[in-house]
Amino acid sequence: MCEIFCFNSNTPKKINECLQCFYNHSEDHPHGWGLANMQSNEFVIDKEPVKATCSQHLKDILSHPVIGKNVFAHIRLATVGEIVSPNCHPFTKADDNNRSWMLIHNGTIFDYPKLDEYIDKESGDTDSERILLYIIDKINEFEKSKDAPSTIKERFNILTEIVEDLSKNNKLNLMIYDGDLTYIHSNMKDSLYYLKNEEGFLVATTPLTDDENWKPAETNKLFGLIDGNIIFESGEHENEFILTEEHEKSMDDFLKSITRDEIND
């Protein structure tokens, strides 16, 4: 699967050290990297379908200060979709009220037929991009019915329902940003950690520093962050994901198919 990273703070901070540590994990996640620095009026996004440690573009980025208050990063171990640029995270899309959304995902959707209708609508061929398209449609439906833009709390409530439903039988470690709110969700034990300190709020698949205050993120809940603080927390759902031999075989078969394609190329 993949690894994901988020930094959320009330003021822009330099986070090169954490990012460098995060991207060093790409030896085990070689199928692409992404970086999103979410400025107030625009999303600055870079991504490539190559191993992060082999990317000159990423080295150039990290050779300068990376400063932001809402920063997201992703390294990919493909379980669905080809190793091409459109399949690299983050994914972004605007809703009908021109609010831009961003999503990164660590996991696999094994069972959710509602996403199938987006196979012909997405730019790439990943289950992760389909999740974002589905969320955007649900937001558009709500705002059309309301005949007005949604509030932050309304969007959090909509995503709470979506995430609970999506998490049944699927691994759904998600980080989403809607221009105001950062959404964090995990439904697998010991697969997401957080550190809150004076710098802000760090969330990552594995601890990235020697700080002993890293803690496992609570599972089966959706959290909403603004300015380094949790402002919304959903109730707990019951859809914990437990990796089975069948899941592992499915992912191994996909990875073997990628290897065969690379050899044939």
Side-chain angles (χ1 to χ4, degrees):
M1 296 188 186
C2 307
E3 288 197 17
I4 54 180
F5 165 91
C6 165
F7 174 71
N8 183 269
S9 179
N10 62 344
T11 56
K13 302 286 196 317
K14 179 182 174 182
I15 57 168
N16 291 62
E17 185 176 344
C18 283
L19 286 173
Q20 188 65 63
C21 180
F22 175 77
Y23 286 122
N24 284 342
H25 298 175
S26 66
E27 292 303 315
D28 295 322
H29 303 80
H31 298 140
W33 65 271
L35 175 65
N37 195 342
M38 319 308 276
Q39 308 293 342
S40 56
N41 296 319
E42 64 175 331
F43 292 179
V44 180
I45 293 177
D46 293 276
K47 56 183 182 178
E48 287 182 306
V50 299
K51 187 193 299 184
T53 53
C54 296
S55 169
Q56 184 59 49
H57 182 42
L58 181 58
K59 290 177 183 177
D60 292 341
I61 291 172
L62 296 180
S63 70
H64 299 88
V66 178
I67 299 172
K69 56 181 290 188
N70 292 287
V71 181
F72 301 83
H74 186 277
I75 47 177
R76 185 176 183 226
L77 179 65
T79 58
V80 176
E82 296 180 79
I83 304 173
V84 293
S85 185
N87 287 339
C88 292
H89 306 223
F91 300 102
T92 60
K93 186 173 176 60
D95 62 30
D96 286 347
N97 276 310
N98 207 33
R99 173 178 294 278
S100 293
W101 292 71
M102 181 233 65
L103 176 146
I104 57 178
H105 177 212
N106 165 23
T108 302
I109 303 301
F110 296 98
D111 178 24
Y112 202 75
K114 292 179 184 179
L115 296 184
D116 291 349
E117 68 176 274
Y118 300 97
I119 291 174
D120 295 329
K121 300 176 182 178
E122 62 182 333
S123 299
D125 59 350
T126 66
D127 50 3
S128 304
E129 185 180 2
R130 287 168 223 153
I131 294 171
L132 180 60
L133 297 180
Y134 178 65
I135 288 171
I136 296 295
D137 271 359
K138 292 300 180 184
I139 294 295
N140 288 339
E141 288 173 12
F142 176 84
E143 294 183 336
K144 184 177 180 180
S145 175
K146 183 185 178 184
D147 197 26
S150 54
T151 65
I152 292 176
K153 187 60 166 69
E154 286 171 338
R155 292 195 297 276
F156 182 81
N157 291 341
I158 292 168
L159 263 72
T160 295
E161 293 182 6
I162 291 172
V163 163
E164 179 174 356
D165 198 37
L166 262 171
S167 61
K168 296 173 184 174
N169 305 316
N170 301 307
K171 184 184 176 187
L172 198 68
N173 286 9
L174 285 174
M175 295 176 177
I176 301 170
Y177 183 69
D178 70 4
D180 293 314
L181 194 63
T182 292
Y183 306 80
I184 306 289
H185 176 268
S186 172
N187 68 331
M188 184 175 178
K189 286 183 179 178
D190 301 323
S191 65
L192 202 64
Y193 293 80
Y194 74 94
L195 173 67
K196 181 168 172 53
N197 56 26
E198 67 278 0
E199 294 293 304
F201 213 107
L202 280 165
V203 189
T205 302
T206 60
L208 299 176
T209 68
D210 294 331
D211 193 312
E212 296 179 353
N213 293 311
W214 282 92
K215 299 177 182 178
E218 282 191 75
T219 56
N220 303 341
K221 288 184 176 183
L222 184 67
F223 294 92
L225 280 64
I226 291 181
D227 291 342
N229 294 296
I230 296 174
I231 65 165
F232 298 129
E233 177 180 336
S234 76
E236 185 177 356
H237 61 69
E238 299 179 349
N239 303 322
E240 178 184 349
F241 179 76
I242 298 174
L243 193 65
T244 66
E245 290 183 4
E246 184 178 353
H247 293 139
E248 290 180 327
K249 183 180 184 305
S250 173
M251 292 184 291
D252 286 345
D253 288 346
F254 181 81
L255 288 171
K256 288 175 183 176
S257 72
I258 289 176
T259 302
R260 285 195 299 270
D261 288 345
E262 289 176 344
I263 292 172
N264 291 336
D265 289 344

